[in-house]
Amino acid sequence: MAQAFSVAANGGYLVKPRIVEAIRRPSGEVEQMEAAARTRVIGTEDGCKLRAMMEQTVLRHCARGPYAGLSGRRQNRDGPVD
């Protein structure tokens, strides 16, 4: 799910995540890692619209708590919670 949200945040591009940006050797040499691969999966306009909708859901307090910005119904052990 985080990857789907990252597409909206990255303007419609799916960016391969990476942890290491560079390696610093004891000698002081710095080896930069390759830039993350990007693949366009939705148009720029659609990405902007999706991001705006997600932002408005949170800003208008349509969702609360740790589920803010997510769609669907959450459930607990007693059944759906509205």
Side-chain angles (χ1 to χ4, degrees), residues 5-18:
F5 289 139
S6 74
V7 169
N10 291 314
Y13 285 97
L14 177 62
V15 180
K16 183 179 178 185
R18 66 178 183 172

Side-chain angles (χ1 to χ4, degrees), residues 20-67:
V20 179
E21 183 176 328
I23 298 173
R24 299 185 197 291
R25 307 229 183 262
S27 64
E29 178 187 354
V30 177
E31 179 183 347
Q32 296 291 331
M33 306 312 292
E34 289 185 31
R38 296 179 355 152
T39 305
R40 179 164 296 284
V41 293
I42 61 173
T44 304
E45 185 177 337
D46 292 334
C48 290
K49 286 179 183 178
L50 178 58
R51 184 175 56 242
M53 287 188 286
M54 290 168 39
E55 288 173 356
Q56 288 303 311
T57 298
V58 175
L59 293 174
R60 293 181 181 182
H61 304 288
C62 296
R64 301 200 191 316
Y67 300 99

